[in-house]
Amino acid sequence: MKVIIAEKPSVARELAKVFGANTKKAGYIEGKGFTFTWAFGHLLQLAPPQDYGFYGWRAQNLPMLPAKFKLAVRKIKTKDGVVEDPAVRKQLDVIKALFEECTEIIVATDAGREGELIFRYIYYYLKCKKPFRRLWISSQTDQAIKDGFRNLKPGTDYDTLFYSAHCRSESDWLVGMNATQALSISAGNRAVLSLGRVQTPTLAMICSRFNEVKNFVPETYFQVAIQLKKDESLFRAISAKNYKTKEEAEEVLEAVLDLARGYEKGARVEKVEAKAKKEPPPLLHDLSSLQQEANKKKGYTADQTLGILQQLYEGKLVTYPRTGSRYIGDDIFASVPDLIAKFKDHPLFGKQAQVLSSQKLNKRSVNAKKVTDHHAILPTGEPAGHLSSDRQAVYDMVVGRMLEAFHEECLKETTKITLVSGALFTANGTVIKQAGWRAVFNDKDEDKKDEDNATLPAVLKDETLVISNKAILERQTKPKPLYTEATLLKALETCGKDIEDEELRYAMKDSGLGTPATRASIIETLIKRDYIKREKKSLIPTDMGLAVYDVVKTKKIAQAELTGAWEKRLEEIKAGASVADFKAEIAEYTKSITQELLKAGTALAPITVKAKA
DNA sequence: GCAAGGTC
């Protein structure tokens, strides 16, 4: 018997279906000489400090550098404290029995670094010696699965991938556990002051933006607005220049030849620029873009959206949600017309689904090369039935985005009218000629200011127009906005892009900080630590968060570059570079950051006393 | 009591 192990039940079911195996047992499916079993993500984790004899949180223990890491069954928190997760233990027992029985293991965890680690941790924890081969597929259509099984790779081909995954895991433990204890201890051991490769740069981003806003000095400036009349329509134009003082603006205002001053047609059209613009449809959603949209439209937190999506996924209404890809492959695309047809009677989207059924689909979201372990989020087409309002809202975002993504471009015409009346004035307008994908939600373009979205009347060069009104506008420069969950998620995704060092920037280009599956929990961790809080839609630091930021802001652990540097080395390890060298560097860094924090954290003692009181 | 990573 051969046993196939997947990362999660849904994938195991999919594989079993392709093989025609359908005898369901507790924790596995069998048939046709194969057994399909699964993990639930990471079943095992690196054992906590006490498993190496580091009891309590004491400076003498630091730095904790286990000679050899141990694995422990994943824990959950219950009212009786932290215990082994019984479901995980049970599944491990199932896997153990199957591994003992089998002649060969086929590794079908997700095709990536963590997928490899999930399997290897199980394999080594169970002290299994059975031979294994690797299934490496990036799409789960029947054809891709069949091809993948015909083309299984030797398990050892992925040894270096495992080494890089293992290094990632141990390095995060070493730096995170030691830095956390060092800071907490030196601040008086009254509160958990956690630090980590991902959470600390995230905190730093929130704090630095907050400080920027707090220290921002707004500057007042002035504009002159005129109201013009062409036949029966009115529109507004704004001075081409901004003025620093009210006096300057008043001079310009005075010079305007308006009706009140007796000028029948005091404005002359200097220039009319009309441009046709094609606006392509948005890409399909990945988890992050959906979390951002749900936060903007409905105010859901990233964590809530992930939870809702997980429920929809378990209800088989949407495809795998924790994806970082906004694309699908050609195989999935082939099934899209049928999928769209299933929404022809949908109360909200039925009409657009029908429209789409009769036109050529836009292929902007179709690119097999940009599909990583999972493709973009799509509805499955299963009948949804009655859903709670939040599930319905998120489901509609998935369905609506699918219709948008395969829709035609939106055709717009933008117009810029330049006028002279004393000074120069401009009016910007946009007219949607053909809604295309924008017909799905009929939303306005939220990135644009209202005044740029005005509908302007047709005017000709050198035509003269009535100025029916004029005014001075007092404006203020604005700071960048505080982070919301939506903008923070975006920033986490893209934060590697402005790193100066070219190699580090390259190493982070596909990753950013954290992963789609973990970003929501990073935000929740910072809130749980009392480092940040939600205020309306914004995320703002607490006094504690700001104090921690002050201590670590110049250190490597607070920089996104640290992840870039690690990614670069991990990529090299994957390509065969020395593991020992990287481990030695991490041990060195662990020692130095621990020493620094053991001294630096004393500055935080007063604030932890206050927090405790 | 602690990281980041995965997922029911």
Side-chain angles (χ1 to χ4, degrees), chain A residues 81-99:
Chain A
V82 179
V83 296
E84 265 188 14
D85 184 332
V88 167
R89 167 54 70 187
K90 200 171 153 202
Q91 191 62 15
L92 267 175
D93 289 342
V94 168
I95 295 169
K96 183 170 193 232
L98 294 174
F99 278 9

Side-chain angles (χ1 to χ4, degrees), chain A residues 47-349:
Chain A
Q50 61 267 30
D51 286 25
Y52 311 95
F54 303 121
Y55 298 109
W57 290 36
R58 296 162 15 167
Q60 308 87 288
N61 284 341
L62 303 187
M64 304 175 287
L65 298 164
K68 197 169 183 337
F69 275 94
K70 297 176 186 177
L71 293 170
V73 175
R74 189 213 294 165
K75 308 282 196 294
I76 46 166
K77 280 188 177 143
T78 66
K79 53 184 188 318
D80 307 321
V82 179
V83 296
E84 265 188 14
D85 184 332
V88 167
R89 167 54 70 187
K90 200 171 153 202
Q91 191 62 15
L92 267 175
D93 289 342
V94 168
I95 295 169
K96 183 170 193 232
L98 294 174
F99 278 9
E100 276 167 7
E101 239 179 276
C102 75
T103 54
E104 187 191 20
I105 299 163
I106 293 166
V107 184
T109 47
D110 290 355
R113 195 165 76 195
E114 290 304 319
E116 191 63 29
L117 191 62
I118 285 171
F119 166 69
R120 300 278 182 135
Y121 273 177
I122 295 170
Y123 187 79
Y124 297 124
Y125 180 77
L126 296 177
K127 299 194 168 63
C128 184
K129 305 283 181 224
K130 295 287 170 72
F132 62 90
R133 283 188 292 167
R134 188 70 160 97
L135 175 74
W136 195 268
I137 52 174
S138 62
S139 141
Q140 273 143 34
T141 58
D142 292 8
Q143 195 55 48
I145 291 169
K146 283 175 190 160
D147 291 347
F149 271 96
R150 270 193 291 266
N151 193 18
L152 292 172
K153 311 283 186 203
T156 50
D157 281 10
Y158 297 89
D159 284 352
T160 58
L161 180 62
F162 162 61
Y163 301 149
S164 82
H166 198 200
C167 282
R168 199 282 306 148
S169 178
E170 293 188 352
S171 304
D172 275 326
W173 190 104
L174 287 169
V175 172
M177 295 290 190
N178 281 293
T180 297
Q181 287 202 14
L183 187 67
S184 305
I185 290 166
S186 64
N189 235 337
R190 288 178 206 90
V192 175
L193 300 179
S194 68
L195 298 174
R197 171 180 59 85
V198 176
Q199 62 171 266
T200 305
T202 306
L203 175 66
M205 287 163 69
I206 295 168
C207 290
S208 113
R209 177 63 61 87
F210 178 81
N211 286 339
E212 218 178 294
V213 172
K214 203 181 67 183
N215 298 328
F216 184 81
V217 183
E219 278 178 38
T220 304
Y221 65 95
F222 300 87
Q223 293 177 320
V224 178
I226 55 174
Q227 188 183 48
L228 300 120
K229 200 171 165 196
K230 158 86 191 197
D231 301 328
E232 288 316 302
S233 57
L234 293 172
F235 67 100
R236 192 165 87 146
I238 307 285
S239 54
K241 280 190 192 160
N242 295 336
Y243 304 99
K244 281 215 164 102
T245 65
K246 196 163 187 179
E247 290 69 35
E248 285 175 86
E250 269 164 356
E251 259 177 57
V252 173
L253 185 80
E254 285 309 311
V256 170
L257 312 174
D258 64 327
L259 208 54
R261 278 181 62 193
Y263 289 90
E264 272 302 322
K265 290 196 167 184
R268 184 178 57 79
V269 177
E270 167 95 3
K271 203 159 53 166
V272 182
E273 295 161 273
K275 274 186 203 147
K277 278 197 178 158
K278 288 180 184 170
E279 192 183 13
L283 294 170
L284 289 166
H285 275 307
D286 63 8
L287 174 62
S288 181
S289 66
L290 190 49
Q291 285 171 319
Q292 290 166 48
E293 179 165 320
N295 184 250
K296 278 187 206 150
K297 280 191 175 171
K298 304 289 288 182
Y300 298 161
T301 68
D303 201 44
Q304 284 169 331
T305 302
L306 177 56
I308 293 164
L309 272 170
Q310 176 68 21
Q311 292 166 343
L312 292 170
Y313 170 63
E314 285 168 27
K316 305 214 166 45
L317 294 180
V318 303
T319 59
Y320 180 76
R322 289 179 212 83
T323 175
S325 173
R326 303 188 63 177
Y327 296 86
I328 57 171
D330 300 276
D331 46 3
I332 303 283
F333 181 65
S335 65
V336 166
D338 285 344
L339 186 56
I340 289 173
K342 293 202 166 116
F343 294 94
K344 277 183 177 171
D345 297 321
H346 191 283
L348 242 66
F349 303 124

Side-chain angles (χ1 to χ4, degrees), chain A residues 433-452:
Chain A
K433 293 288 189 184
Q434 189 187 310
W437 64 270
R438 283 194 177 275
V440 175
F441 284 107
N442 255 324
D443 279 349
K444 288 213 202 83
D445 193 341
E446 65 225 16
D447 301 334
K448 284 243 177 88
K449 285 177 282 179
D450 283 349
E451 57 196 42
D452 292 338

